[in-house]
Amino acid sequence: MQIHYLSEDNSILNHFLGQIRNVNVHNDSMRFRRNIERIGEIMAYELSKKLQYKSVEIQTPLGIKKTTEIKDQLVLCSILRAGLPLHLGFLNYFDNAENGFVSAFRHHPNNDDYFDILVQYQAIADINEKNLLLVDPMLATGQSIVAVYNKLMERGTPKEIHIAVVIAAPEGIAYLEKHLPENCHLWVASLDEKLNEHSYIVPGLGDAGDLAYGEKL
C-alpha cells in the first residue's frame, strides 16, 4: 500500500486539523462540518496529482489554449454518516465524479468493548475500471473500511483505489496494509499516537459523526 501523509509540512491543513480537535469549538457543529469539508478539498487537491490527465484544446474569447483535464473516471464513496462533510469537500473539486454511499457501524452484540462491523445500506455507481475514492474521517481499527471495501468489491473491480482519511491510528494503517491490495493508495491528513482500550483514536477528536450532526441514540 502506498501511504501519503499530508500534514508533515506546515500548511493551512494543520490549521483546520487543529480546529476540528479543539474542545473549545466542538459545540459549533457547522464550523466542524465546514472544517472537515475544507480538509477534504485540500486532500482532493493533493490526490489529484496522482490521477491521469489528457491534453485538450480550449476555445477562449481570443484564441485556442492547450491544457489538460482529468482523464480518469472517478467514483467518490463515503461511509455514512460521518463521511458526508468529507465527501462534500472532495466533490467540490471532483465535481464530475459519480457518487456512492455506504453505511457501516460498530455493533456491540454483548454490550461490551467487543464489536463487529455491520454494513447495511449501499447506493453506488458502477465502479468497474474506474478510480474508486473511498473517504472516511477516522481510521481507527480499520475494520469499517475493510468491511466496506469487501462489500464494494462484490459490485465490480476498480482500476485504482484511493482511500482518504482525516485522522488515523497506526493500528488501523497496519490493518489496512494486511487486508487490502498493495496497489491501494492511502491518504492520511494526520497520524495520531494509538488506540485506547475502547478502540478510539488518541488524542483524536471524539466522534466525528456526533460532532457534525449531533449525538445518536
Side-chain angles (χ1 to χ4, degrees), residues 8-25:
E8 294 179 340
D9 298 322
N10 282 326
S11 74
I12 192 67
L13 173 63
N14 289 335
H15 178 80
F16 297 143
L17 286 167
Q19 289 194 359
I20 64 172
R21 295 180 187 272
N22 192 335
V23 295
N24 294 318
V25 295

Side-chain angles (χ1 to χ4, degrees), residues 151-212:
K151 180 63 69 172
L152 293 178
M153 291 307 99
E154 297 174 3
R155 307 286 297 270
T157 304
K159 184 176 73 171
E160 285 190 358
I161 299 168
H162 295 265
I163 299 169
V165 299
V166 176
I167 296 176
E171 296 91 334
I173 292 176
Y175 190 83
L176 296 194
E177 289 181 308
K178 181 178 179 181
H179 291 91
L180 295 184
E182 291 183 1
N183 61 352
C184 284
H185 289 263
L186 175 63
W187 300 84
V188 179
S190 184
L191 176 63
D192 274 15
E193 296 174 9
K194 62 181 180 179
L195 296 179
N196 66 13
E197 64 274 15
H198 302 294
S199 295
Y200 289 109
I201 301 174
V202 178
L205 54 75
D207 188 297
D210 288 358
L211 290 168

Side-chain angles (χ1 to χ4, degrees), residues 14-42:
N14 289 335
H15 178 80
F16 297 143
L17 286 167
Q19 289 194 359
I20 64 172
R21 295 180 187 272
N22 192 335
V23 295
N24 294 318
V25 295
H26 275 183
N27 61 339
D28 189 342
S29 59
M30 184 174 68
R31 186 175 177 184
F32 181 85
R33 291 193 303 270
R34 181 65 182 113
N35 280 332
I36 292 288
E37 181 182 344
R38 292 192 285 193
I39 290 169
E41 291 172 348
I42 294 169

Side-chain angles (χ1 to χ4, degrees), residues 53-78:
Y53 290 78
K54 61 183 178 182
S55 298
V56 295
E57 292 186 343
I58 302 297
Q59 177 70 59
T60 80
L62 300 177
I64 301 294
K65 174 62 179 176
K66 293 182 179 180
T67 185
T68 58
E69 63 182 30
I70 293 175
K71 179 180 180 181
D72 295 311
Q73 291 182 282
L74 308 179
V75 179
L76 174 60
C77 182
S78 59

Side-chain angles (χ1 to χ4, degrees), residues 128-143:
N128 276 302
E129 295 303 314
K130 300 175 184 177
N131 283 21
L132 174 64
L133 314 182
L134 179 59
V135 304
D136 194 27
M138 311 296 283
L139 171 56
T141 67
Q143 294 179 48

